[in-house]
Amino acid sequence: MEFKPTIGLEVHAELKTKTKMFCDCLNNPEEKIANTNICPICLAHPGILPVINKKALKQVIIVGLSLNSEIPEYSKFDRKNYFYPDLPKGYQISQYDMPLCKCGELSLFLSNDLEESKRNIKITRVHLEEDTGKLIHSADGKSTLIDFNRAGVPLMELVTEPVIHSGKEARLFAQGLQLLFRTLGVSEADMERGQMRCEVNISLGKNEELGTKVEIKNLNSFRAVEKSINFEIQRQKEILEKEEKVIQETRGWDAGKEITYSQRLKEEAQDYRYFPEPDLPRLHIYSEGKSDGLFNLEELKKQIPELPWKKKERIMKLCASLGDANLLIQDEKLMNFFEEVIKEFNDIDVKNKEKVINLAFNYLASDLKGLMESGSVTLEKLKITPQSFSQLILLLFEDKISSRAGKDILAEMVEKGGEPEEIIKSKGLEKISDEGELEPIILEIIKNNPKTIKDYKKGKENALQFLVGQAMAKTRGAADPKSLERLFKKQLS
Ligand SMILES: [Zn+2]
């Protein structure tokens, strides 16, 4: 039987502001000492009055504008009433029926094939609320401590429409959001540190009917998002195939066992008794065509940098056969470097340009990235410039140096700087294409390796590879392995 999974996501992200949402306490996720950044407002002492952090409003609106959301002219905060020990007020200031952003969409690509794999994930709303404190349970289970440093930190909540159909899509969406938040500078959105948290609801339906909705809470890694959905699809499928009923409930994710488990049954929706927050004014965000209101949306739009999916589309159009373009969009500095490199190829004719760009991308993605990782250095610490890097790529493309020599030159440029042409001259790395020059080297190697020659004559294929390797070492990579192979065969036939 075929069942179609329908998935919706709820994502919370802590905003990167200097102070908390409704008081002057520092919003410092690095704070190690519990209950340091607290005051009567975030501890909800009687008689306190919250004051709205305008920067947090602005950040959420910028997210909304980036997602093409509708920004209503007016918005407001509401009280969401529930009791939990990490919530000092006994209610959370949140937004109910007038969120800061309505609708919107985020584009993602399931593969590098732009047309085929593009998905626009529809977003229902983005709103602003405050985070809760943190409960710390003792190891013996006998006591619980509480840290209010996080209480009142601005928290953005984003809800998608139920338009996602697989674990992979959900993961890519969450990764896309993280990249967006980081690009906009509104949140670090580090999932492991709880700065971004995901909840998933999922149902399996037959034909066009929707099935019973199950919620999975507290997913704190991209892997958990994808794996828990895949597990849940399988679990619900097995229940439905036995013609049994899926129970509406909230489930948790056991990352060790990679299973979901029942947490609580959802007999009916919890009644939060929402009502407008009486201590805060209604928000006049802007007026269409007038300059009154808290923000000028046109000005805010100008502050939005190039969005990650636009950047990806641009890079992939530049060079359709490019490898994993994600590498570039996730690393702004590497991306800028690559763009500078590409500019140097402007004079190359169209026919060859794509090949050169590809070659540059491969050297960047594997060799340069490898050198950065092995030396644990960042791009700006390297001595290499985009201009000298592009020179090296052109020398490789024009077959003036071997790829082996290319790697050595790159390593030298990364460490000491300099132009590739100079390094080639000083190290004698020009490619030897004159076979007359190679002949004495070949003869010498044959003379010095009688055992290998015997092996070769017995038909051992790797004997030839060994000889070529010797010759490569002797010429310090300046010879072409293909011609070496041919010359050896000629001499030994
Ligand atoms: Zn405070």
Side-chain angles (χ1 to χ4, degrees):
M1 225 183 292
E2 275 303 307
F3 297 101
K4 188 180 178 193
T6 300
I7 299 153
L9 245 64
E10 247 180 67
V11 181
H12 284 93
E14 283 175 0
L15 295 179
K16 209 162 79 179
T17 52
K18 197 165 163 272
T19 55
K20 290 188 180 180
M21 189 59 229
F22 300 112
C23 61
D24 281 339
C25 291
L26 287 182
N27 168 14
N28 178 14
E30 305 297 327
E31 182 55 63
K32 295 280 183 297
I33 304 164
N35 297 311
T36 307
N37 298 321
I38 51 171
C39 74
I41 296 177
C42 50
L43 290 182
H45 289 189
I48 51 99
L49 277 177
V51 177
I52 296 169
N53 183 337
K54 195 178 166 190
K55 175 128 188 249
L57 291 178
K58 178 180 157 185
Q59 290 185 344
V60 173
I61 292 168
I62 283 192
V63 168
L65 290 171
S66 305
L67 295 167
N68 247 330
S69 299
E70 175 199 326
I71 311 295
E73 292 186 355
Y74 290 91
S75 183
K76 71 172 168 62
F77 284 101
D78 302 274
R79 285 189 185 179
K80 180 181 179 179
N81 298 280
Y82 67 95
F83 175 77
Y84 204 70
D86 64 8
L87 190 69
K89 294 191 191 82
Y91 60 84
Q92 180 189 29
I93 303 181
S94 179
Q95 297 196 283
Y96 181 52
D97 53 350
M98 290 171 76
L100 283 170
C101 319
K102 289 181 183 168
C103 312
E105 62 181 22
L106 182 136
S107 308
L108 54 92
F109 303 96
L110 294 180
S111 72
N112 264 3
D113 187 334
L114 285 181
E115 296 304 315
E116 279 291 303
S117 72
K118 188 170 180 177
R119 298 275 182 285
N120 292 324
I121 306 296
K122 292 245 176 294
I123 286 152
T124 316
R125 58 187 276 161
V126 191
H127 73 247
L128 184 55
E129 55 190 34
E130 54 180 338
D131 210 345
T132 60
K134 238 186 236 174
L135 296 177
I136 301 143
H137 305 286
S138 69
D140 61 10
K142 285 187 182 154
S143 58
T144 297
L145 299 168
I146 184 151
D147 177 8
F148 284 114
N149 281 343
R150 200 181 69 177
V153 161
L155 192 66
M156 168 170 51
E157 180 177 329
L158 179 148
V159 183
T160 75
E161 293 286 300
V163 289
I164 297 170
H165 298 293
S166 72
K168 183 183 174 189
E169 254 181 272
R171 169 177 56 82
L172 287 171
F173 175 80
Q175 285 174 323
L177 266 188
Q178 184 192 55
L179 194 56
L180 174 70
F181 295 159
R182 289 179 176 178
T183 303
L184 297 174
V186 300
S187 173
E188 285 304 324
D190 190 328
M191 286 192 77
E192 254 103 83
R193 298 171 71 192
Q195 291 165 334
M196 179 165 139
R197 317 192 270 270
C198 289
E199 279 168 42
V200 157
N201 58 68
I202 168 168
S203 69
L204 246 60
K206 232 187 322 186
N207 307 322
E208 287 309 301
E209 270 170 52
L210 288 176
T212 307
K213 207 159 76 174
V214 169
E215 232 176 20
I216 319 171
K217 283 207 183 257
N218 297 325
L219 297 168
N220 59 7
S221 71
F222 295 122
R223 185 185 160 85
V225 170
E226 181 167 5
K227 290 262 175 180
S228 65
I229 289 173
N230 290 346
F231 177 87
E232 202 50 31
I233 290 173
Q234 191 55 32
R235 187 188 72 88
Q236 294 184 22
K237 195 172 157 228
E238 281 165 20
I239 292 172
L240 295 171
E241 276 170 348
K242 284 189 274 185
E243 305 216 336
E244 289 171 8
K245 272 194 180 144
V246 173
I247 303 165
Q248 187 178 352
E249 62 182 341
T250 300
R251 297 178 73 87
W253 172 245
D254 184 326
K257 293 184 190 148
E258 302 204 329
I259 55 166
T260 65
Y261 59 91
S262 182
Q263 276 184 324
R264 61 186 149 87
L265 299 181
K266 209 163 196 174
E267 273 121 19
E268 55 193 85
Q270 195 175 350
D271 182 8
Y272 291 116
R273 296 179 295 120
Y274 278 102
F275 62 85
E277 168 58 61
D279 290 338
L280 290 174
R282 202 161 100 116
L283 298 166
H284 179 195
I285 304 296
Y286 74 105
S287 287
E288 192 72 59
K290 278 191 252 162
S291 59
D292 53 351
L294 286 164
F295 298 101
N296 178 336
L297 294 197
E298 293 313 311
E299 283 304 314
L300 292 188
K301 277 181 197 164
K302 282 184 204 151
Q303 293 176 24
I304 299 175
E306 186 180 30
L307 297 169
W309 52 91
K310 292 254 166 27
K311 196 179 258 187
K312 183 163 188 176
E313 220 161 348
R314 185 163 57 79
I315 287 291
M316 283 159 78
K317 270 185 188 147
L318 199 68
C319 183
S321 51
L322 210 62
D324 188 5
N326 282 319
L327 176 83
L328 294 176
I329 15 181
Q330 279 158 8
D331 187 335
E332 200 188 342
K333 284 174 185 134
L334 206 60
M335 172 84 183
N336 293 342
F337 185 91
F338 187 60
E339 287 192 293
E340 287 297 311
V341 169
I342 290 177
K343 273 187 205 154
E344 301 290 313
F345 300 145
N346 275 344
D347 296 336
I348 300 173
D349 62 86
V350 185
K351 202 175 107 249
N352 285 326
K353 198 168 172 181
E354 180 154 325
K355 287 183 195 158
V356 176
I357 292 175
N358 250 322
L359 188 66
F361 178 79
N362 291 338
Y363 265 79
L364 188 87
S366 57
D367 298 280
L368 189 62
K369 198 112 204 307
L371 287 168
M372 280 159 62
E373 276 159 16
S374 66
S376 335
V377 276
T378 52
L379 194 60
E380 56 270 53
K381 290 260 167 69
L382 303 184
K383 296 265 165 60
I384 193 166
T385 64
Q387 290 70 28
S388 57
F389 182 78
S390 66
Q391 287 305 317
L392 175 69
I393 297 302
L394 285 173
L395 289 166
L396 283 158
F397 183 72
E398 288 159 2
D399 217 17
K400 290 192 176 141
I401 48 171
S402 69
S403 60
R404 158 75 197 274
K407 288 181 203 305
D408 291 347
I409 297 164
L410 184 66
E412 168 107 10
M413 282 160 61
V414 160
E415 204 182 319
K416 297 180 185 154
E419 296 301 313
E421 306 261 12
E422 286 163 23
I423 299 170
I424 291 166
K425 263 191 209 135
S426 70
K427 298 201 158 192
L429 288 170
E430 288 106 336
K431 202 167 189 176
I432 307 173
S433 45
D434 181 1
E435 296 192 352
E437 249 182 88
L438 290 172
E439 207 171 275
I441 297 168
I442 298 229
L443 290 173
E444 195 194 331
I445 289 168
I446 291 177
K447 199 179 116 204
N448 292 340
N449 294 281
K451 195 181 163 290
T452 315
I453 306 303
K454 253 189 216 162
D455 287 346
Y456 174 75
K457 295 209 164 147
K458 277 186 212 153
K460 277 196 185 163
E461 256 308 301
N462 46 10
L464 184 64
Q465 288 318 310
F466 175 79
L467 294 171
V468 170
Q470 294 284 303
M472 288 295 285
K474 195 96 191 161
T475 57
R476 298 165 73 195
D480 173 40
K482 285 263 174 309
S483 349
L484 286 172
E485 220 177 282
R486 196 162 32 77
L487 290 169
F488 272 115
K489 278 185 180 166
K490 202 173 108 190
Q491 287 292 341
L492 294 169
S493 64

